């Protein structure tokens, strides 16, 4: 999987965005971090402190917090490796190209690279992971919302990017993660991701952008 610094950030001043967009970006960033590498105990402890609500997303976050409170970093690292690394390959291949075509490094990756270039997103020099992995795409969405790569993207641009590179497959990936044989902690991550992708898709469908 990619590390969380897979994309070089263009230095830019902080941008004012709505509280709703800040919360959206925070959840995208969290999913990017938790899917990029095994979490340290500090992140698990912080996750255990999250509180949910009565919504589907709140319920999923509450369940994630509860299991994080009973999880140890070493066990979650073993789970991560079984899911995403394994001997030769892990249980899941978290790449858009694979989910959309059945093969790695296919047309979806080429299209993503073109759209990244148009938005001044650049892969870091020391990262060799294909850019269409789920962790990097979550990070990209967070950066577009907050203006990490220049200025905050318009809702129309977010909608276009999500609809092309995330919406067609991320929900399927998170459903697979939730049900994977090796998923324990990550089953709850999958549930949060699945519900959140559905919320985002519905929001974009309702937007005029």
């Amino acid at each position: 999987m990619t590390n969380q610094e897979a994309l070089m950030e263009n230095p830019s001043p902080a941008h004012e965005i709505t509280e709703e967009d800040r919360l959206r970006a925070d959840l995208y960033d969290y999913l990017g971090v938790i899917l990029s590498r095994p979490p340290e105990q500090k992140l698990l402890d912080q996750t255990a402190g999250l509180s949910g609500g009565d919504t589907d997303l709140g319920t999923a976050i509450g369940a994630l917090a509860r299991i994080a409170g009973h999880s140890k970093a070493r066990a979650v690292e073993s789970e991560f490796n079984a899911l995403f690394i394994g001997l030769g390959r892990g249980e899941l291949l978290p790449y858009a190209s694979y989910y959309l075509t059945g093969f790695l490094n296919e047309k979806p990756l080429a299209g993503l690279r073109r759209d990244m270039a148009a938005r001044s997103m650049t892969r870091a020099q020391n990262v060799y992971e294909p850019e269409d992995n789920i962790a990097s795409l979550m990070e990209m969405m967070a950066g577009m919302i907050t203006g990490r790569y220049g200025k905050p993207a318009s809702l129309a641009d977010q909608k276009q990017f999500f609809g092309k590179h995330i919406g067609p497959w991320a929900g399927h990936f998170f459903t697979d993660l939730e049900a994977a044989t090796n998923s324990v902690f990550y089953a709850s991550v999958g549930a949060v991701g699945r519900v959140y992708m559905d919320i985002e898709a519905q929001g974009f469908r309702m937007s005029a952008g």
Side-chain angles (χ1 to χ4, degrees), residues 28 33-34 80-81 85 113 128 137 166 204:
Y28 273 118
V33 169
I34 209 74
F80 182 96
N81 290 339
I85 299 174
R113 286 173 172 167
Y128 304 100
L137 285 166
I166 298 173
F204 286 130

Side-chain angles (χ1 to χ4, degrees), residues 88-184:
R89 56 159 283 188
E91 184 175 352
L92 300 178
L93 288 172
Y95 304 93
S97 289
Y98 180 78
Y99 268 81
L100 296 175
T101 72
F103 300 94
L104 297 175
N105 301 316
E106 288 293 319
K107 286 183 179 179
L109 177 58
L112 174 62
R113 286 173 172 167
R114 287 192 297 270
D115 287 345
M116 287 175 62
R119 293 168 174 82
S120 300
M121 299 177 184
T122 306
R123 186 171 67 173
Q125 294 291 326
N126 61 336
V127 174
Y128 304 100
E129 186 84 8
E131 297 91 327
D132 65 339
N133 71 80
I134 190 68
S136 285
L137 285 166
M138 296 295 97
E139 182 186 353
M140 289 179 210
M141 277 300 296
M144 290 178 66
I145 294 168
T146 61
R148 189 178 296 158
Y149 311 114
K151 62 180 181 179
S154 67
L155 186 61
D157 194 24
Q158 294 176 39
K159 180 178 180 178
Q160 181 184 45
F161 189 88
F162 181 93
K164 184 175 181 181
H165 301 296
I166 298 173
W169 75 281
H172 297 294
F173 164 76
F174 282 118
T175 297
D176 289 346
L177 180 60
E178 192 175 4
T181 301
N182 289 293
S183 279
V184 181

Side-chain angles (χ1 to χ4, degrees), residues 64-77:
L64 174 61
R66 286 192 295 275
I67 195 165
H70 294 91
S71 298
K72 298 299 181 184
R74 181 172 295 182
V76 177
E77 180 177 5

Side-chain angles (χ1 to χ4, degrees), residues 10-19 21-22 143-153:
N10 294 331
S12 58
H15 298 282
E16 291 294 329
I17 61 174
T18 66
E19 180 63 18
D21 280 344
R22 178 67 61 188
M144 290 178 66
I145 294 168
T146 61
R148 189 178 296 158
Y149 311 114
K151 62 180 181 179

